[in-house]
């Protein structure tokens, strides 16, 4: 799957926008791929939770 979110993309459903706002307004986010500081670790945790939720939604199963 390819997920691209350009500046003109409308965020749906509302829960997605609310979750994004919660993270952004906390001002405790960073690049999840950059280092072992608190903000990067926090961001990577959020990304991994999102990945797990997406796997459940699209019924992804592990091979092998």
């Amino acid at each position: 799957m390819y997920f691209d979110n350009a500046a003109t993309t409308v965020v749906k459903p509302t829960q997605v926008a609310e979750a994004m706002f919660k993270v952004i307004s906390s001002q405790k986010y960073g690049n999840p791929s950059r280092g072992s500081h608190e903000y990067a670790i926090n961001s990577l945790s959020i990304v991994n939770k999102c990945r797990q939720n997406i796997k459940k939604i699209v019924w992804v199963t592990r091979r092998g």
Side-chain angles (χ1 to χ4, degrees):
M1 278 189 195
Y2 178 75
F3 295 101
D4 183 8
N5 191 10
T8 58
T9 303
V10 177
V11 179
K12 294 182 181 178
T14 304
Q15 293 88 340
V16 174
E18 290 170 354
M20 290 172 61
F21 179 77
K22 181 178 176 183
V23 172
I24 293 168
S25 65
S26 75
Q27 297 183 8
K28 294 183 179 181
Y29 61 92
N31 187 330
S33 302
R34 301 299 262 172
S36 58
H37 57 84
E38 178 185 354
Y39 293 172
I41 293 168
N42 183 48
S43 294
L44 182 58
S45 174
I46 292 167
V47 168
N48 286 333
K49 287 177 188 174
C50 292
R51 287 177 177 156
Q52 292 301 317
N53 288 337
I54 291 168
K55 284 180 184 180
K56 290 176 187 175
I57 291 168
V58 297
W59 300 351
V60 172
T61 57
R62 196 176 221 182
R63 292 186 189 183

